[in-house]
Amino acid sequence: MNAILRLSLPLTLWLASFSAVYGLHGLLCSSRWATLAPELPGRALLIGASLAALTLQALLLVLLRSSRWPHPDAAIHRISMALAIVALIATAWTLIPTLTTSHCL
């Protein structure tokens, strides 16, 4: 079970953070946002959510490298590290548009 968790957690976290940030972006661009919380700045919320997603991915990478969560099989360890690096890069790459060019029409 530990091996399955090590292998699936990085990309699952990327998928959840991608969905959450773009869902927040959709909410901020909807007409309901003005009635829900007009005083909250939407851009700051998007930046905070993106930074939280990147931080979680980086913490997962550090956790997988630490000796607190060891795995006896070296191949599983290498694959999980590679998946964590890919997930961190994918998180940064897919969330760049929300930070740089997100404008609601």
Side-chain angles (χ1 to χ4, degrees):
M1 185 63 159
N2 191 10
I4 293 172
L5 188 60
R6 286 181 74 92
L7 294 174
S8 64
L9 196 56
L11 293 178
T12 303
L13 182 61
W14 166 75
L15 177 66
S17 62
F18 176 83
S19 299
V21 170
Y22 277 93
L24 177 64
H25 183 264
L27 176 66
L28 294 175
C29 288
S30 73
S31 60
R32 293 186 180 188
W33 180 252
T35 60
L36 287 175
E39 67 277 353
L40 289 176
R43 184 114 171 115
L45 288 174
L46 276 176
I47 291 170
S50 298
L51 290 176
L54 286 169
T55 303
L56 284 174
Q57 285 289 357
L59 286 174
L60 180 61
L61 181 62
V62 169
L63 177 69
L64 288 174
R65 289 190 66 196
S66 74
S67 61
R68 294 183 134 199
W69 200 17
H71 198 275
D73 189 7
I76 297 289
H77 179 71
R78 283 193 309 270
I79 294 169
S80 67
M81 289 300 298
L83 287 173
I85 291 168
V86 166
L88 180 62
I89 293 169
T91 301
W93 183 256
T94 57
L95 296 184
I96 285 174
T98 62
L99 298 176
T100 58
T101 62
S102 71
H103 299 288
C104 300
L105 299 175

